[in-house]
Amino acid sequence: MAKQPQPISPLKNFFAGGFGGVCLVFVGHPLDTIKVRLQTQPKPQPGQAPLYSGTFDCFRKTLVGEGVRGLYRGMAAPIVGVTPMFAVCFFGFGLGKRLQQRKPDDVLTYPQLFAAGMLSGVFTTVIMAPGERIKCLLQIQAATGETKYSGSLDCAKQLYREAGIRGVYKGTVLTLMRDVPASGMYFMTYEWLKNILTPEGKSVSDLSVPRILFAGGLAGIFNWAVAIPPDVLKSRFQTAPAGKYPNGFRDVLRELIREEGVASLYKGFTAVMIRAFPANAACFLGFEVAMKFLNWIAPNL
C-alpha cells in the first residue's frame, strides 16, 4: 500500500469535500433525474406500455417534453444541501481515519478505511435525508402532470405543514441503509485505487488528473453497486402518499418483489451507472484540487 499523505486534516476535508460535492451535482444531476423517474414510475396496467421503456427513452421524453431544464429539475435542493453534505461527508471520513490512528504517521488498512467511510455516511444523513425527499418529489411531479410544489422551499414548507419534521425526514432509515455501507465502499475503493495507481516511490498526492478521474469514477461505480437496492426503496417510499406504507421499507420491499420481482430493486441501474463514473470522477477531482489549494494557502490548518 502506498503511503497516505500525513497528517490527516478533517477540517481541510470539510472544505475540499464541499467543493467536490458541487462538482458532482453539476455533472451528475441530469442522470439522477432519469434514475428517480425510472424508479418511481407507476406499474403499467395490463396491455399498456410503461411510461418509460428504459433509460434512453426516459431521457428522450424528458428532453422533448421539458427541455434541458427538465433534466435539472429539483437541482436547487441538492445544490443548497450538497456543499455542507459533502463537506460533512469528507469531514466524517477524515475524522474516521484520524480516530483510528495511534500516531500521526500510521497508515490505515483497507478495513479501517471502510470503517471511516461508514462513519461519513452516518454524518451525512442529517442533511441528505430531507434533501433527497425534496429532490425526489420535485423530479417526479413533472412526469405526473401535476404541479404541487413551485420549488424546493415551497416543497419543504408544504411537507412541514402537512406532517411536521417527520414529513421532511421521511426515509431517513433507508437513507442510512443506503449510505453507511455504500460510503464505506466508496472511500475504501478510492483509496485502494489511488494506491494501485501510484508509481513506486511516488506519493498519492502526486497522481495525475487522468488517474484521479479514473479512481474517483470507479469508486462511484462500486458505491452505487452497493447502494442501488436501498436507493430504489428510498425513492419509492419518499414519494409515496402519506400512509401508503405503514410499516416503512418492509412494505415497499414486499410490494416491489410481489408485483415486479427482485429485478425491480435494480430499477434505474443503467442511469445510475452511466452517471456514477463522470459525477464521482468530477467530485474527487474537485476534492483533490481544493485540497492542494488549501495545503498551499494554509499548510498548518
Side-chain angles (χ1 to χ4, degrees):
M1 182 186 293
K3 191 172 178 63
Q4 299 162 5
Q6 303 296 335
I8 295 166
S9 172
L11 191 57
K12 286 180 181 176
N13 276 30
F14 179 86
F15 291 113
F19 182 71
V22 172
C23 295
L24 180 145
V25 171
F26 274 109
V27 173
H29 191 80
L31 279 162
D32 185 71
T33 297
I34 301 304
K35 177 204 68 162
V36 171
R37 291 187 177 184
L38 287 170
Q39 290 176 341
T40 58
Q41 68 173 322
K43 184 182 178 183
Q45 297 298 319
Q48 290 185 342
L51 181 60
Y52 307 115
S53 62
T55 299
F56 297 104
D57 182 55
C58 183
F59 181 86
R60 181 183 61 81
K61 288 180 177 177
T62 301
L63 198 59
V64 170
E66 305 168 53
V68 174
R69 291 182 64 183
L71 295 171
Y72 283 91
R73 191 80 59 182
M75 194 176 74
I79 280 291
V80 170
V82 78
T83 300
M85 183 191 72
F86 270 84
V88 168
C89 176
F90 279 84
F91 173 82
F93 179 58
L95 181 62
K97 290 194 292 183
R98 173 74 70 82
L99 290 173
Q100 295 180 90
Q101 289 182 310
R102 294 186 177 180
K103 52 184 185 295
D105 59 346
D106 279 350
V107 176
L108 299 181
T109 64
Y110 291 121
Q112 287 176 313
L113 292 169
F114 186 86
M118 290 177 69
L119 180 63
S120 77
V122 175
F123 271 50
T124 57
T125 298
V126 174
I127 302 170
M128 177 73 85
E132 287 278 299
R133 170 95 153 118
I134 292 166
K135 172 182 71 69
C136 289
L137 288 170
L138 290 173
Q139 284 173 327
I140 68 166
Q141 77 169 0
T144 63
E146 300 176 2
T147 306
K148 182 178 180 181
Y149 310 111
S150 62
S152 299
L153 186 59
D154 180 56
C155 182
K157 287 179 179 177
Q158 289 195 46
L159 290 174
Y160 185 78
R161 188 162 54 244
E162 291 168 3
I165 196 68
R166 293 185 63 182
V168 177
Y169 274 88
K170 181 179 179 180
T172 298
V173 172
L174 279 163
T175 305
L176 274 170
M177 289 173 60
R178 181 192 70 176
D179 289 349
V180 170
S183 294
M185 181 64 73
Y186 186 52
F187 284 108
M188 182 189 72
T189 302
Y190 180 64
E191 297 289 338
W192 168 61
L193 287 168
K194 283 204 303 179
N195 288 326
I196 287 178
L197 295 170
T198 300
E200 189 69 29
K202 298 287 186 179
S203 168
V204 292
S205 61
D206 297 326
L207 275 182
S208 65
V209 168
R211 294 188 179 198
I212 291 172
L213 289 172
F214 178 77
L218 209 55
I221 296 290
F222 276 78
N223 171 81
W224 279 103
V226 173
I228 287 178
D231 185 64
V232 172
L233 298 177
K234 180 196 68 66
S235 295
R236 183 66 66 97
F237 182 68
Q238 287 186 320
T239 57
K244 182 176 180 181
Y245 301 116
N247 295 312
F249 73 89
R250 289 171 295 176
D251 286 348
V252 187
L253 180 62
R254 279 194 289 263
E255 180 187 81
L256 276 172
I257 292 180
R258 183 179 66 249
E259 297 184 358
E260 303 177 51
V262 176
S264 64
L265 293 173
Y266 287 87
K267 278 187 173 183
F269 179 86
T270 303
V272 168
M273 290 306 173
I274 291 174
R275 169 185 178 269
F277 192 96
N280 289 285
C283 175
F284 276 110
L285 179 60
F287 170 79
E288 297 290 355
V289 168
M291 185 64 78
K292 285 186 178 181
F293 177 73
L294 289 170
N295 285 334
W296 177 63
I297 64 169
N300 297 318
L301 182 64

